Amino acid sequence: MATLAVFTAVVSPSASAPAQAAAGSGFLDHLNGFDTRRWHKANGWSNGGVFNAGWRADHIRHSGGVMAINLDTATCPSGCSAKPYASGEYRTNAHYSYGRFEVRMKAVKRPGTVTSFFTYTGPSDGQPWDEIDVEILGRNTTQMQTNYYTDGVGGHESVIDLGFDASTGFHNYAIEWRESTIKWFVDGRLVHQEDGSRGPLPSHPQRIMVNLWPGIGVDEWLGPFTYPGRALTARYEWIRYTQY
């Protein structure tokens, strides 16, 4: 088991989409195309810290009912926020409160990488840092890591054995967030839950987000990243939110 880390903060410039109230209602997006009413693509910056890639809007593409996020070296480092790699991050414009957050995705298998589905808000939205994570670490894609942050306090990681390789096919991952509990599901099966006994649960409305990134300085957690000389691709078939 990898040593777990607490580095998943999302930093964005003031040029990103403006923060909105918790106005997000239920939806199912089959990701057939880029719906600018619901989503925006991170572009022209890096989250910094352990994220060793710059976000590029052109690294998120829709084709054949699948959204692909590519991680490669195109135009880097000059066009990649001075990072050696480029990748993509997809974010909702609105913020969403208690409900069920679901995705169908296929992860990247490569040490040093993270394929994610998560909810997030923070100082760039004028709110405390709250976050709920589903992360597939490319060093072992038969496991899923869960975590949450409340007002910037994390350290609630758990590692779940999936019983399959998340890089070889699409699977459904869900977060059920209520005031008193967070539950994580895989293919409809409850695999983990938190009730606040390890620390207060998030309470602020959050964006729904996905990204793919290589780490730096966290080899103990992610393993060392080496670029294979070709693009690495995380794939997403749909994203759904059900309001509670």
Side-chain angles (χ1 to χ4, degrees):
M1 180 185 300
T3 299
L4 305 181
V6 294
F7 303 104
T8 54
V10 178
V11 180
S12 62
S14 58
S16 63
Q20 299 182 23
S25 57
F27 69 84
L28 170 61
D29 193 328
H30 287 285
L31 303 175
N32 293 315
F34 180 25
D35 183 353
T36 58
R37 297 168 300 177
R38 178 171 291 133
W39 302 95
H40 65 281
K41 301 176 182 180
N43 189 49
W45 73 85
S46 170
N47 286 1
V50 301
F51 293 80
N52 204 23
W55 302 131
R56 291 270 302 274
D58 62 3
H59 278 51
I60 301 175
R61 300 179 181 177
H62 298 80
S63 179
V66 173
M67 184 180 77
I69 300 181
N70 289 328
L71 165 60
D72 60 27
T73 59
T75 74
C76 299
S78 60
C80 305
S81 305
K83 298 290 186 176
Y85 306 106
S87 193
E89 181 172 83
Y90 205 54
R91 306 167 162 216
T92 55
N93 299 324
H95 292 67
Y96 299 83
S97 192
Y98 301 121
R100 187 178 177 95
F101 303 79
E102 302 173 84
V103 68
R104 184 168 175 82
M105 70 181 187
K106 181 162 65 171
V108 164
K109 187 182 189 72
R110 188 75 180 181
T113 64
V114 177
T115 305
S116 75
F117 170 66
F118 62 109
T119 62
Y120 168 83
T121 192
S124 59
D125 292 329
Q127 297 194 123
W129 172 13
D130 280 5
E131 180 175 339
I132 307 172
D133 297 324
V134 168
E135 295 176 316
I136 307 295
L137 310 188
R139 70 183 300 169
N140 185 349
T141 50
T142 67
Q143 296 179 330
M144 174 182 79
Q145 180 174 299
T146 67
N147 196 8
Y148 71 90
Y149 289 77
T150 303
D151 198 11
V153 178
H156 309 108
E157 300 92 345
S158 295
V159 173
I160 311 300
D161 289 321
L162 295 171
F164 57 80
D165 187 336
S167 72
T168 61
F170 287 93
H171 291 272
N172 299 352
Y173 305 87
I175 299 165
E176 188 176 85
W177 175 34
R178 298 179 184 270
E179 185 175 3
S180 59
T181 58
I182 306 171
K183 297 180 180 180
W184 286 262
F185 297 82
V186 176
D187 291 333
R189 176 174 59 95
L190 176 65
V191 296
H192 183 65
Q193 63 181 9
E194 296 281 353
D195 61 7
S197 59
R198 294 206 292 167
L201 302 181
S203 61
H204 294 85
Q206 302 173 54
R207 299 183 193 271
I208 302 169
M209 303 175 64
V210 297
N211 61 25
L212 168 66
W213 53 279
I216 185 170
V218 283
D219 289 0
E220 189 176 5
W221 177 37
L222 301 182
F225 178 71
T226 57
Y227 183 61
R230 56 174 175 77
L232 300 168
T233 305
R235 294 177 170 85
Y236 298 81
E237 283 194 337
W238 50 258
I239 296 173
R240 175 163 52 199
Y241 167 69
T242 305
Q243 188 175 27
Y244 286 172

